Amino acid sequence: MTLCQMEPLPLPDQMPLHPAGLLQKVARPDALIAVFGLLVVGIIWAATLTVNARDEREASEQAIQATERLLDTYESQSLRALNEVHQSLRLIAYARRFSREDDTLAQLQAQNLLLPNLLFTTRIVDASGRVLASSREAAIRWPIAPDVLDASTDNQTPAYMGKPYRVEGHQEALVDVSRKVKPEVPDSERVVITFPASYLVSDYDQTRFGAEGLLAVAGLDGIFRARRVGSLISSGDAVNPGDINLQNADDEQASALLRRAPWDGVMRYTVSRRLYGLPLAVVVGLAESEALEAVRQESRRKHIQAAVATLVVFAVALAVGLLTRRILELSERERLASMAHAQQVEFLAYNDSLTGLPNRAHFNTALTQCLAENQAEGTPFALMFLDLDGFKTVNDMMGHQAGDTLLVQVAKRLKQCVRSNDLVARLGGDEFVVILGDGPGRAEIAEVGRRIIDKLGRPYSLDGRQAAVTASIGVAVYPDNGDDEESMTRAADHAMYAAKAQGKNLLVFSTETPLEAAGA
């Protein structure tokens, strides 16, 4: 039996009819010139519009990716900032819970264990909102928002951030982050840390966001704790969750969507993500006009160029002979390029780009063909699954480039161990497969396996450094171990893992019957 060889993809013998062919069918010279001119003009504008649409689509995709990268960055920064607040809340709650002193806050402040008063104000309040202690004297008179007092906190949601509010004497809106001293007690005292809402968006970088970008922290209740667009900061505004993609905040893989902001009418690529441990989400947006400004300017320039080209084409249309020759030359280049591209696509579709061996798709087709032929002829064949032992160590210690070099050398050694009509393929990573045709017996299969183990176990030279790997091989024989693709591959795979379990660098024959393989 000869293993199947993949046939090349069929290529058209002739390209579609070119303008030159049309010109030969047009009898009148004036009609020929008109048809030719209209055809070229149509191509110019079709190409211009297609390229412009493609460039704008790519720029839009890049803007979406940039927005998502910004979200990752500012999610981390927001979490770091709020974690500092959470740590302080936990420290104060712990000290308050286990200390019998009434001046717990003063003691912590004296030891510089509180967040700096320049930006943060720390208070301890009872269940009714009465301030029991404060790191800032004036803050004793500040109100405590009802939602902060009513919010429940526990070990899963240990803190709560209230809605922004304003205090007389402060230009900026403030927000409270609170935590119960004793979460299990309904009327427990609370530790409240207050800071300006603008602190939440203080990391806004105009070089990355532009003049109309958006950085915000929004509550899942639809209220902005802080929102910054350019240099403008606002707090406490209500927002429709759909306007900032807030309904997808719990989805770690949510993509940025183009949304029109109701507060300024600007179209932005917007994405949100929930902040762990808080009913809050960080919101990032990039203005579409800024993200696509360069490509749209280029699009306008190309439109002008296309218009000029149209005039030029009509002006030179009388030189139809020269243009026809040029068209034929370009047509031949395009045909050759198309053939080369088709051959490259075919190769990549059925061969591994690193080693040049057949890939998984090629192997699956070959295995199907082998089964079909052997069911008709009754000739057995063997299927070997190989996995390299120690390859991950080489990859980790010497780098992926060295690992790739080793895989190429492994592929060459494998091909030297089998006959030309046997199939060696790479399934991916450090997994290889061999199909031995023409009805080999167990002794012959074992001999091939011994050659492979011996050959692959020899040292490899990787950029002047020595490396060593071994191979664990599992063998399934048709029809003893299976009579279809699934049972054969499963049996060989199980045998390979058995070889690893028995100490590696071994060849193990499958013990499964077709019935056992099918029911595995």
Side-chain angles (χ1 to χ4, degrees):
M1 180 187 67
T2 301
L3 292 178
C4 64
Q5 301 296 324
M6 300 302 294
E7 295 295 332
L9 294 176
L11 294 174
D13 294 331
Q14 294 182 346
M15 301 298 290
L17 190 61
H18 293 287
L22 292 174
L23 294 177
Q24 293 176 359
K25 297 184 179 182
V26 179
R28 295 173 51 184
D30 55 342
L32 183 148
I33 294 172
V35 170
F36 181 78
L38 289 173
L39 178 63
V40 174
V41 168
I43 292 174
I44 290 173
W45 280 101
T48 300
L49 295 175
T50 300
V51 170
N52 287 345
R54 182 202 64 195
D55 290 347
E56 183 158 335
R57 182 173 62 254
E58 290 178 352
S60 179
E61 292 172 355
Q62 291 172 2
I64 290 173
Q65 294 171 2
T67 304
E68 293 167 357
R69 287 194 297 270
L70 282 174
L71 178 67
D72 293 337
T73 298
Y74 285 92
E75 177 196 19
S76 299
Q77 292 181 359
S78 298
L79 283 174
R80 281 197 298 270
L82 290 174
N83 278 338
E84 187 177 5
V85 176
H86 291 171
Q87 291 292 343
S88 184
L89 285 172
R90 283 193 287 267
L91 172 63
I92 299 167
Y94 182 85
R96 184 70 174 181
R97 182 168 186 168
F98 295 103
S99 173
R100 297 182 179 180
E101 302 294 334
D102 293 333
D103 59 347
T104 303
L105 204 59
Q107 291 181 19
L108 293 174
Q109 189 170 18
Q111 299 176 53
N112 291 324
L113 295 178
L114 300 184
L115 295 175
N117 266 348
L118 184 64
L119 187 64
F120 301 91
T121 301
T122 306
R123 291 175 288 174
I124 297 177
V125 302
D126 61 17
S128 65
R130 183 170 62 91
V131 178
L132 304 177
S134 173
S135 64
R136 190 193 303 264
E137 184 176 352
I140 295 176
R141 297 185 297 274
W142 292 358
I144 300 295
D147 63 321
V148 173
L149 296 175
D150 295 340
S152 63
T153 60
D154 51 33
N155 291 330
Q156 284 70 41
T157 307
Y160 174 80
M161 180 180 288
K163 299 175 183 178
Y165 64 93
R166 294 187 178 275
V167 173
E168 184 178 355
H170 281 260
Q171 295 181 348
E172 296 187 60
L174 303 176
V175 291
D176 293 331
V177 180
S178 69
R179 178 189 178 96
K180 283 184 176 181
V181 172
K182 298 179 180 180
E184 70 279 4
V185 178
D187 294 331
S188 169
E189 296 176 352
R190 286 181 178 270
V191 183
V192 180
I193 295 180
T194 305
F195 53 88
S198 60
Y199 172 71
L200 297 170
V201 291
S202 59
D203 291 323
Y204 186 102
D205 183 355
Q206 192 157 334
T207 60
R208 304 180 71 183
F209 281 92
E212 294 185 324
L214 169 67
L215 176 61
V217 173
L220 300 184
D221 55 5
I223 301 296
F224 278 122
R225 270 39 176 188
R227 182 185 69 213
R228 181 166 180 173
V229 176
S231 59
L232 182 62
I233 301 175
S234 58
S235 303
D237 298 334
V239 64
N240 184 336
D243 293 334
I244 56 172
N245 203 10
L246 191 60
Q247 65 270 34
N248 296 324
D250 288 324
D251 185 358
E252 290 290 330
Q253 304 300 323
S255 297
L257 301 177
L258 193 59
R259 293 286 186 265
R260 185 180 300 279
W263 57 85
D264 57 10
V266 175
M267 295 289 290
R268 293 184 177 88
Y269 298 99
T270 307
V271 64
S272 307
R273 186 175 297 158
R274 184 168 181 174
L275 293 175
Y276 176 76
L278 285 170
L280 303 171
V282 62
V283 186
V284 169
L286 292 180
E288 180 192 30
S289 58
E290 293 179 335
L292 304 185
E293 181 180 4
V295 73
R296 287 176 175 173
Q297 287 182 351
E298 180 66 14
S299 176
R300 288 190 290 269
R301 185 183 68 81
K302 289 178 180 177
H303 278 106
I304 295 173
Q305 289 179 336
V308 173
T310 300
L311 297 176
V312 172
V313 168
F314 283 131
V316 300
L318 295 177
V320 64
L322 295 177
L323 290 175
T324 302
R325 182 181 301 175
R326 180 61 176 164
I327 290 172
L328 291 174
E329 293 174 353
L330 293 175
S331 174
E332 180 63 14
R333 292 179 187 175
E334 182 181 353
R335 188 181 68 84
L336 294 175
S338 177
M339 290 178 60
H341 177 70
Q343 292 171 354
Q344 180 68 12
V345 169
E346 179 191 6
F347 180 85
L348 293 177
Y350 292 100
N351 292 272
D352 176 52
S353 59
L354 176 63
T355 63
L357 292 177
N359 61 11
R360 184 181 292 272
H362 194 148
F363 159 71
N364 290 337
T365 302
L367 180 58
T368 300
Q369 180 172 329
C370 286
L371 287 166
E373 292 178 357
N374 282 276
Q375 286 171 356
E377 300 172 4
T379 306
F381 70 91
L383 175 62
M384 289 183 168
F385 267 36
L386 292 84
D387 188 85
L388 300 181
D389 309 316
F391 175 74
K392 184 177 184 302
T393 301
V394 174
N395 238 8
D396 292 343
M397 297 185 64
M398 303 180 69
H400 292 289
Q401 184 173 356
D404 289 347
T405 303
L406 187 145
L407 289 174
V408 172
Q409 294 183 24
V410 167
K412 291 180 180 178
R413 296 186 187 186
L414 274 175
K415 293 181 68 175
Q416 294 169 359
C417 295
V418 299
R419 300 163 300 182
S420 60
N421 62 332
D422 295 328
L423 179 73
V424 177
R426 181 188 176 206
L427 301 184
D430 60 342
E431 294 182 344
F432 295 81
V433 66
V434 177
I435 299 179
L436 300 177
D438 295 331
R442 289 179 67 93
E444 183 180 353
I445 297 170
E447 174 61 22
V448 173
R450 185 198 62 76
R451 288 202 303 270
I452 292 174
I453 289 174
D454 177 69
K455 195 85 168 178
L456 298 190
R458 298 174 186 176
Y460 297 83
S461 178
L462 307 177
D463 295 330
R465 293 182 291 177
Q466 294 292 313
V469 297
T470 59
S472 295
I473 306 175
V475 181
V477 179
Y478 172 89
D480 298 339
N481 305 126
D483 55 6
D484 57 29
E485 293 91 343
E486 182 177 359
S487 59
M488 285 290 290
T489 55
R490 181 181 291 112
D493 190 55
H494 288 176
M496 183 267 289
Y497 278 106
K500 284 186 172 292
Q502 294 176 27
K504 304 180 181 178
N505 198 28
L506 297 172
L507 180 142
V508 173
F509 283 84
S510 174
T511 59
E512 294 181 344
T513 66
L515 182 60
E516 290 171 339

